[in-house]
Amino acid sequence: MKWIIGILINALLFIAFAGYFEGFQVSSFGAAVGASVVLYLINMLVRPLLIIFTLPVTILSLGLFLFVINACTLLMTDALMGSKFEISGFGLALLIAIIMSIVNLIIHKTIIEPKKRKKK
C-alpha cells in the first residue's frame, strides 16, 4: 500500500513539474503514473547497483552524490518512456531530483509517520 501512495505522489509531482519547468514535459496523467511506476522499478533494480559502484564518491561527498544517482534514474525513466515523458537535460533532472527528495521527505515526515504513530 505504501508503494502505491509513493507512485501517486511522484505522478502528481511530475504533473506539477511539467507545469512549472519549461524543459519538463508529461503528456498526460496516465503517462505520469507510468513514468512513476518505471521510476519505482528502476529505483528497486538499478539504483542499489549504482549506489554500490559509486560508494567511495558518495562517502567523499557526504551523500550528496545520491542526488546525481537520482538524476540518472530520472534520465533512465525518460529514455524508457519515450516522448510521453521528457526531461531536457541533466541539470534539470538534477534539480527535479533534489526537489522530489525534499518534497517526499516532507510528505513522509508530516503525513505518513504521524499516521503510523496513531496506529500504535
Side-chain angles (χ1 to χ4, degrees):
M1 182 70 167
K2 181 180 171 183
W3 62 276
I4 293 174
I5 294 170
I7 286 173
L8 291 176
I9 289 171
N10 283 343
L12 291 173
L13 285 173
F14 289 153
I15 295 294
F17 292 147
Y20 189 73
F21 294 110
E22 192 173 309
F24 187 86
Q25 296 174 357
V26 179
S27 63
S28 65
F29 183 72
V33 171
S36 187
V37 169
V38 169
L39 181 63
Y40 176 78
L41 292 172
I42 289 173
N43 281 337
M44 283 193 56
L45 301 173
V46 178
R47 189 171 183 260
L49 295 172
L50 290 175
I51 290 172
I52 289 171
F53 290 141
T54 61
L55 193 58
V57 176
T58 304
I59 291 171
L60 286 174
S61 69
L62 302 175
L64 293 176
F65 194 75
L66 291 174
F67 291 123
V68 173
I69 292 173
N70 290 344
C72 290
T73 60
L74 281 170
L75 290 174
M76 287 179 205
T77 303
D78 174 23
L80 291 172
M81 287 296 294
S83 63
K84 295 179 182 178
F85 181 84
E86 291 288 329
I87 301 174
S88 64
F90 181 77
L92 182 60
L94 183 62
L95 179 63
I96 289 172
I98 292 169
I99 295 170
M100 282 182 73
S101 297
I102 292 169
V103 170
N104 280 322
L105 177 70
I106 290 169
I107 289 172
H108 188 75
K109 292 289 183 184
T110 59
I111 297 172
I112 296 172
E113 278 188 13
K115 286 185 179 180
K116 286 182 182 177
R117 290 183 196 145
K118 288 181 183 179
K119 288 181 180 179
K120 290 182 180 180

